[in-house]
Amino acid sequence: MTTFLRYLAILALIFAAMQLIPSYPKENPPTDPSLEIELPPDLMAIIRRSCYDCHSNQTRWPWYADVAPMKWIVRRDVQEGRKALNFSIWKSYSPERQKELKAQIFRSVILAMPLPQYLWLHPEAKLSKEERERIQMWASDGKGYIDVQVR
Ligand code: HEC
């Protein structure tokens, strides 16, 4: 075997071995639909398009969610995203928690969300200025700003 083919075989073996490493499950857990957040249709459309893949139990899983190493990142993002904020179970959050999350949502759309590695593959999820403001208006109950709490 030439050296090149030997390298290729080794790489193929490493790739195959990577597939065996366990990762987070790829699942959309069944959820009581009455717990889902209710929003005006225009806002709901924005949130569904840009946030639901990581912040709901209705993830549209891409094919590479089955292929290591990509699947490690995708599944972790969904796992962590749902833990931080899950619109599918919004009504199960206490009023205090909802208030806290809305303040975090207000801040997250300025810079952090959606995650850059997601936008790279889903440019359609990028928020326009108007869409960002629409989310912030809702998250601040129409005020357009949030009271910063210092803890
Ligand atoms: C590619 C997956 C992904 C998408 C898409 C995404 N998020 Fe997140 N989000 C995460 C992850 C992972 C975390 C938890 C870790 C962290 O804070 O970085 C998170 C955390 C959050 C938090 C919790 C607190 C905070 O500020 O860290 C808020 C609020 C949030 N996201 C809002 C949004 C909103 C609003 C959208 C849509 C405009 C969105 N996210 C889209 C993955 C995502």
Side-chain angles (χ1 to χ4, degrees):
M1 224 176 1
T2 68
T3 318
F4 175 71
L5 281 180
R6 199 171 292 144
Y7 277 131
L8 215 57
I10 291 169
L11 281 180
L13 268 178
I14 293 173
F15 185 76
M18 282 195 319
Q19 307 309 316
L20 302 175
I21 297 174
S23 174
Y24 292 115
K26 187 190 95 177
E27 59 183 14
N28 287 356
T31 316
D32 180 349
S34 68
L35 296 179
E36 189 175 9
I37 194 165
E38 279 182 76
L39 295 168
D42 68 313
L43 182 55
M44 196 64 193
I46 302 171
I47 299 276
R48 271 188 186 281
R49 191 198 72 211
S50 295
C51 318
Y52 255 53
D53 278 346
C54 302
H55 293 294
S56 84
N57 293 338
Q58 301 171 37
T59 305
R60 291 162 300 179
W61 293 99
W63 62 268
Y64 46 85
D66 288 314
V67 185
M70 290 84 82
K71 77 172 189 189
W72 301 332
I73 297 162
V74 173
R75 294 184 185 200
R76 188 209 54 206
D77 283 349
V78 173
Q79 182 88 6
E80 299 288 313
R82 284 174 179 166
K83 210 158 56 180
L85 160 68
N86 190 336
F87 289 113
S88 293
I89 56 163
W90 179 262
K91 289 185 187 164
S92 71
Y93 297 140
S94 68
E96 297 77 46
R97 182 75 187 125
Q98 292 186 0
K99 192 159 176 275
E100 211 172 74
L101 282 170
K102 282 167 88 174
Q104 288 179 4
I105 292 168
F106 186 99
R107 267 172 298 190
S108 72
V109 294
I110 298 170
L111 263 186
M113 291 290 149
L115 292 179
Q117 68 264 28
Y118 177 77
L119 287 178
W120 187 59
L121 289 161
H122 302 82
E124 77 286 353
K126 195 169 171 16
L127 298 172
S128 69
K129 184 166 170 287
E130 291 72 29
E131 290 169 338
R132 210 160 47 228
E133 286 167 0
R134 181 74 182 90
I135 294 175
Q136 289 187 314
M137 268 303 177
W138 163 74
S140 61
D141 299 320
K143 291 201 301 267
Y145 63 90
I146 44 160
D147 307 311
V148 178
Q149 301 145 5
V150 181
R151 277 185 270 198

